[in-house]
Structures are given as structure tokens and as C-alpha cells.
Amino acid sequence: MTKGSAPRDSDWWKSAVVYQIYPRSFADSDGDGIGDLRGIIGRLDHLAELGVDVLWLSPIYPSPQIDNGYDVADYQAIDPLFGTLDDFDELVAQAHARGLKIVLDIVVNHTSDQHPWFLESRSGPASPKRDWYWWRPPAATTGGPPTNWGSYFGGSAWQLDPASGEYYLHLFAPEQPDLNWENPQVRSAVHAMMRWWLARGVDGFRLDVINLIAKDPALPDGVIDPRTGFANGEPHYANGPRIHEYLAEMRREVFQGNDSGRILIGEMLSVGVADAARYTDPGRGELDMVFQFEHVVLDHGSHKFDRIPVELPRLKASLNHWQEHLGPRGWNTLYLSNHDQPRPVSRFGNDRAFRVESATAIATTLHLMRGTPFVYQGEELGMANPPLTELGDLRDIESINYARQALTAGEDPETVWHAIRTGSRDNARSPMQWDASAHAGFTTGVPWFPVNPDHDRVNADRQRRDADSVFAHYRRLIELRHRNPVVVRGDFTSLYPEHPALFAYRRSWGGETLTVIANWSDRPVPIPADLRQRDQSLVLANDGTDEAAETLGPWAVRVFAGSIAGNPDRV
Ligand code: GLC
């Protein structure tokens, strides 16, 4: 099978690879230090060369940028920081000309507090849009916030509006008020907006925290966490009562029966595998795939910045569980990296002694599982976490809020900075490293976030010319998915799940197998004898071409193709 000849048009995305662009950190064309749409247009050839199929753009809409664009003030325009609608149309045309689809990030659990809908809603209890958001009087018992829920970014999830004496709900920052999806006008406004983008040529949507939209309208209190003084309200708003109804309605109203070549991807907090199987069952007409968080919260202790070590068997158990239990109809996203996660080579690999080896071993392990792989910008170069040493280095609202609060509360600064260095979302947001020049070719101005000083060694320019680079390996990996139906269709069997250093599994389909054996450690590991079958051929490796090697070096990975002789399924 070659690229473009996907198995069935209706599920083309199973053989696709998605590349996420965080526009403000990707490429700056006008020297203001912030990436923009024309910067992306200028780098499309890098993406075409990499071989990805779909580009997902983090938000590009007008926004006060309290949460870097995840606070949208106008859903149908482009923030002047990033360019104009004409630039956007050109980006779509140029991407399509290279066979790249465009997916937009849709943030509709909440708007910005500067969105005209909210300004109208806030104008008073009689506003026709009052009910578009969650307004409530103070709690009768305490005179304070209507529920005891905490926000994801710290503090209460409720903000008092002094003019009316009522509170509004914001699960994220106070500048991100939550929309009330119970109101049918809200839903149809969102659907109309999404249809408008489809008419402009986009191919689908990534739906931000979409399983939080269906709150239990009774808004019950949760159980208070003594550390913060607030409750986690998720039991009352994650995967809430009407969520499946809202998602099916969205697909129906937005795609209007024409799903061909289009995709809906949902980001979902606290979603279990059984729920995800329902959300992605094609028969239900909801989503094509979901981002779940189970494997990226394993290193969280009592909270995100309480960092705990994760032994490999735990990580494997989580990923394997999703591989094995999503069922024949559900579909995974495969990701370790995005704009909210630390860099995988720093988090799971060894970004000093074995950067290239660990970046490629980790990528191979992830990409050949069952699901659609997502590559976050710079991951294809093995970009590492940037140095973060003082408050002035931080840009992310979540990290700044945490560091300030923890340092003010007298927590040990070493522990706080360890948590920031290993957990902060800023780790993902340092600018893309294009070349070895000043500011890594990202901007001619002063970058909004300093480039990682390692860009003299780690950059796209150098890696495109090096057949042993992380970039070259990603190209081979993506090509393998496009070419080999076992990667797309195969069943998944985990191998040696308890092994402390090996990450191994087998995919099989139509009598063919692919066996992936990766060493996720800094020490050599013997390949178990039963995994070294003679009739297999090496199809991909990051440690040379000796098929008969009996040991995997640190962070080495090998992929073998074979066949199950006499398998009745063989086609
Ligand atoms: C999602 C986004 C994140 C944002 C949050 C609120 O998790 O990925 O960046 O802060 O939603 O919109």
C-alpha cells in the first residue's frame, strides 16, 4: 500500500500521521518574535518532506492570550499576531497542494471573557445571553462560591461579578468562562461556526477538553482536597449526562452527512477506555478518536507538580491496556507529546547521553501501535526540554500560578523547580529549532520564549542532511505506516510486559506480523531468544542492519517483519 491509497476512504485517518503546530512557537515571518501563519506557509516543505498527512493548528483566533489562544475572543477571525484570513486561505491552499489536510483547534468548553457572547452575558441577569454561561448566586450556606470546585489553573472555579453579585463558572482561568451547553442556542452557534470553517476548506477539528461540556446542571459539590481547599468537580462535569448526545449532534450538524475526508478528534480529561470505546465507535457517529491522559499522568503524585518516578512496566501496562481494550471498533490517538506535555526525550528518554537513540526508540515504540500517531513540532528533531531556572523563564499561566503559590507557601525551592523542569507546559513551548543561527532561524526579532541553547546541535537544517538523524528516522517510520497495512490494521499483543527495560509487542494481520523490540534503558539488554525468530526480516532499526544481533544497545529499537505460516486468516 502506498501513501494516499488508504484502505477505505471512510477511515483514511487510520493510516495517517498528524503533525501538531503550536503557531506562536513554529516560525515567525515578520520579526515580532511570535510565530505566524506566513511562517507556517514558509515551512510547509519541511512537513511534506517529513511525510505527515494532517496538520493540526493550535488556536489562531483573536484572543487576549491569557492561555496562549485557548481563550478565544472571536471564533471566526485570525488574531493579528498570526496574520489574516487571507493568510489562512493561502495556508489551506498551499497545504492542500502538498496533500496535507488542515485540522483546527476548537475551544468551546469556554470562551475568553472578552468574547462578545460573554460581554453580553455579563451585562446583567436580563441579558438574552445570560444563560449562555453558568451564572449562579452565592451559595446560601456560605455566601461564597456556588460550589466548592477548584479550577485547573488554581483557586476556585467561580468568579464573582460585582455588578450583579452573581458568580460565573470557569474550569480554567477566570478569563475563560464556561459555556452552557444546555442552552440549544449555544450549541447551534458552535455548529454554525464550525460549518463556516469547513466551507473555508478545513478538513476537521480537534476539540479542546470536549468531554467537559456536559455539566450536571445541579452542580453538586465535590469532595474537598485538604491541600488546595477545593474539590475536584470532575465527577459532575467530565463525561457528563448529555455528552454523547452533544457529540452526536455536533457531528450531524457540522458534517451534515458528508464525513468523507474529514475528522473529529476529541481531547478528553479523565476518560476511561470503556468510555473512549463508545466515543469512537463509528456506529454511534460521535468522534473518530480521542486523546486520553492516563499514560501522561502516571508521573503525577497527589497533583500534577508532585512528580513521581514511573517504572517502565507501569507505562507499558497503561499503553498496553488501551491497545488491548479499546475494542475492534474504537480507535486510539498515539501521543506522548503536545503543547501541554514535557518533551518525551527528556521525560522518558535520555536527552544527554542517548538523545538520538532514545528519541527514535520512543517514537518507534509509539508509532507502530494501533492508532493514529501525533507528532508535536520539534519532536521529529528530538527537541529536549529547555532550561527553566527562574520565575522570569516561565510564560505558562499554569506554571506561573503553581510556582508562585508554592514558593510563597514556603515549599522547598529545589522541589518546586524540579517539578517545573519536569512538568511545566513551557517545556513544550520553546521555539522550533530550524537551524544553528541566532534564535534558531525561528525569528529575526526577539523570540517571545528563548530558544533552547542546544539549537546549535539540534536543528532541522542539520538533520535533514543526516541519514542517521531523528528526522530521517521519523521519515522512515511514517513511510512504514503508509506502506504496511499491518501497522494500520494489525491486532496488538504485548510481549514481556513485566520486563524492566524492554518495550516489545507484536502486531499481526492477514498472516503477516511486525515485532517491535525496544530497549528503553541506558544499558545493553539481550534480546530474548523467542523474539529472534530466523524467518523474520529487519524492516526498521536505529542501531544498524545486523539482523542477527543478540543484544540491543542502550535505547536501540528493532522492527522485524514475519509471517504466521499456515495462518488461516492469511489473505
Ligand atoms: C486543553 C489545552 C490546554 C488549555 C486547556 C484549556 O487542555 O490543550 O492548552 O490550557 O485545554 O483550554
Side-chain angles (χ1 to χ4, degrees):
M1 192 188 311
T2 54
K3 181 174 176 186
S5 62
R8 279 199 302 274
D9 178 56
S10 59
D11 58 3
W12 59 272
W13 34 263
K14 292 189 174 174
S15 52
V17 177
V18 184
Y19 186 95
Q20 182 192 354
I21 295 179
Y22 196 62
R24 68 165 36 238
S25 299
F26 190 65
D28 174 24
S29 71
D30 60 6
D32 67 355
I34 297 178
D36 48 45
L37 297 180
R38 301 211 73 81
I40 300 173
I41 294 171
R43 297 292 184 178
L44 284 175
D45 287 339
H46 170 85
L47 305 170
E49 190 179 337
L50 181 59
V52 295
D53 307 274
V54 179
L55 307 181
W56 148 30
L57 306 186
S58 279
I60 49 177
Y61 321 102
S63 161
Q65 304 286 331
I66 296 290
D67 188 18
N68 287 357
Y70 284 88
D71 46 324
V72 180
D74 179 354
Y75 289 112
Q76 291 175 223
I78 304 293
D79 194 301
L81 274 181
F82 299 127
T84 63
L85 273 173
D86 285 344
D87 297 333
F88 180 77
D89 292 341
E90 185 177 339
L91 171 61
V92 172
Q94 296 241 15
H96 284 170
R98 289 167 179 80
L100 297 165
K101 291 179 184 281
I102 297 278
V103 161
L104 286 188
D105 213 318
I106 297 290
V107 189
V108 285
N109 172 68
H110 44 270
T111 67
S112 160
D113 65 346
Q114 299 306 307
H115 194 292
W117 296 346
F118 187 72
L119 296 177
E120 167 60 49
S121 183
R122 169 181 247 174
S123 69
S127 162
K129 288 201 167 51
R130 188 65 165 183
D131 183 51
W132 281 40
Y133 294 83
W134 293 93
W135 290 97
R136 289 290 185 276
T141 43
T142 62
T147 74
N148 59 8
W149 302 351
S151 108
Y152 289 107
F153 291 160
S156 167
W158 294 92
Q159 179 77 12
L160 179 65
D161 171 48
S164 64
E166 292 191 332
Y167 286 83
Y168 66 84
L169 177 67
H170 61 88
L171 294 182
F172 293 88
E175 296 87 349
Q176 294 169 295
D178 280 53
L179 281 166
N180 174 14
W181 278 67
E182 291 278 316
N183 185 322
Q185 291 175 359
V186 167
R187 304 203 299 276
S188 45
V190 168
H191 302 152
M193 172 272 281
M194 291 170 74
R195 284 195 300 265
W196 185 85
W197 284 110
L198 280 184
R200 261 201 129 85
V202 311
D203 303 285
F205 304 100
R206 176 264 189 191
L207 305 165
D208 191 66
V209 292
I210 200 64
N211 65 330
L212 307 188
I213 61 176
K215 280 105 177 147
D216 174 350
L219 305 177
D221 273 336
V223 181
I224 294 206
D225 171 352
R227 186 187 67 88
T228 59
F230 295 104
N232 173 359
E234 276 179 2
H236 310 298
Y237 57 72
N239 311 298
R242 297 178 69 186
I243 185 66
H244 292 285
E245 172 197 337
Y246 293 162
L247 291 175
E249 179 189 56
M250 177 187 280
R251 190 177 192 98
R252 227 175 27 242
E253 294 295 321
V254 174
F255 287 168
Q256 302 193 312
N258 179 9
D259 297 28
S260 175
R262 294 175 167 169
I263 190 168
L264 273 184
I265 308 161
E267 185 203 29
M268 299 199 159
L269 304 182
S270 296
V271 66
V273 70
D275 277 332
R278 271 194 291 279
Y279 287 125
T280 61
D281 179 341
R284 300 177 57 95
E286 299 179 20
L287 302 176
D288 298 308
M289 57 186 87
V290 303
F291 288 116
Q292 55 93 9
F293 281 70
E294 193 181 286
H295 61 298
V296 291
V297 299
L298 294 174
D299 55 7
H300 302 186
S302 56
H303 59 100
K304 170 173 179 167
F305 291 103
D306 173 20
R307 310 296 295 178
I308 56 171
V310 179
E311 302 300 324
L312 183 63
R314 273 188 75 212
L315 178 67
K316 288 192 287 188
S318 171
L319 289 169
N320 292 345
H321 180 73
W322 279 76
Q323 288 291 304
E324 287 160 357
H325 291 94
L326 206 49
R329 297 169 67 78
W331 193 251
N332 284 291
T333 57
L334 303 173
Y335 83 97
L336 291 171
S337 193
N338 62 37
H339 64 292
D340 295 329
Q341 300 295 330
R343 293 285 183 179
V345 70
S346 304
R347 186 181 195 176
F348 304 103
N350 181 334
D351 62 8
R352 291 166 312 274
F354 299 109
R355 197 183 55 81
V356 175
E357 295 84 346
S358 59
T360 50
I362 291 168
T364 308
T365 311
L366 187 74
H367 275 233
L368 300 182
M369 291 186 167
R370 180 171 180 274
T372 297
F374 283 69
V375 180
Y376 175 67
Q377 66 185 41
E379 185 190 324
E380 78 277 24
L381 309 175
M383 273 177 63
N385 289 348
L388 300 172
T389 52
E390 52 187 43
L391 274 177
D393 292 339
L394 304 181
R395 303 283 183 277
D396 167 35
I397 179 172
E398 179 189 59
S399 305
I400 293 171
N401 287 354
Y402 159 72
R404 281 212 185 112
Q405 167 271 319
L407 293 170
T408 313
E411 287 183 32
D412 168 35
E414 273 298 305
T415 313
V416 173
W417 280 102
H418 170 76
I420 289 288
R421 272 193 291 275
T422 54
S424 169
R425 307 197 298 180
D426 276 332
N427 285 307
R429 300 178 181 181
S430 66
M432 181 72 178
Q433 295 167 204
W434 294 106
D435 59 40
S437 69
H439 307 317
F442 163 69
T443 181
T444 54
V446 180
W448 74 278
F449 192 117
V451 297
N452 192 323
D454 72 6
H455 72 272
D456 56 343
R457 289 167 297 119
V458 181
N459 64 66
D461 182 43
R462 187 161 160 175
Q463 294 196 21
R464 273 203 303 269
R465 291 180 276 118
D466 173 3
D468 294 324
S469 65
V470 180
F471 181 79
H473 189 88
Y474 265 83
R475 286 189 68 188
R476 291 191 281 269
L477 198 49
I478 293 168
E479 205 259 332
L480 181 60
R481 168 169 293 262
H482 289 152
R483 170 164 53 83
N484 190 323
V486 182
V487 180
V488 180
R489 304 259 159 233
D491 292 340
F492 175 94
T493 311
S494 88
L495 303 169
Y496 291 89
E498 303 298 336
H499 196 293
L502 279 187
F503 202 141
Y505 58 86
R506 181 164 295 138
R507 306 288 310 281
S508 39
W509 184 75
E512 306 292 326
T513 63
L514 274 181
T515 305
V516 178
I517 315 170
N519 178 1
W520 280 49
S521 83
D522 290 352
R523 299 206 182 85
V525 175
I527 304 179
D530 61 319
L531 296 185
R532 278 186 275 119
Q533 292 160 14
R534 246 178 251 107
D535 57 348
Q536 300 195 15
S537 57
L538 189 64
V539 290
L540 186 71
N542 66 354
D543 68 341
T545 54
D546 173 13
E547 303 220 358
E550 295 189 357
T551 299
L552 285 177
W555 296 99
V557 63
R558 318 204 108 208
V559 182
F560 292 95
S563 55
I564 308 169
N567 184 318
D569 294 345
R570 198 182 172 105
V571 289

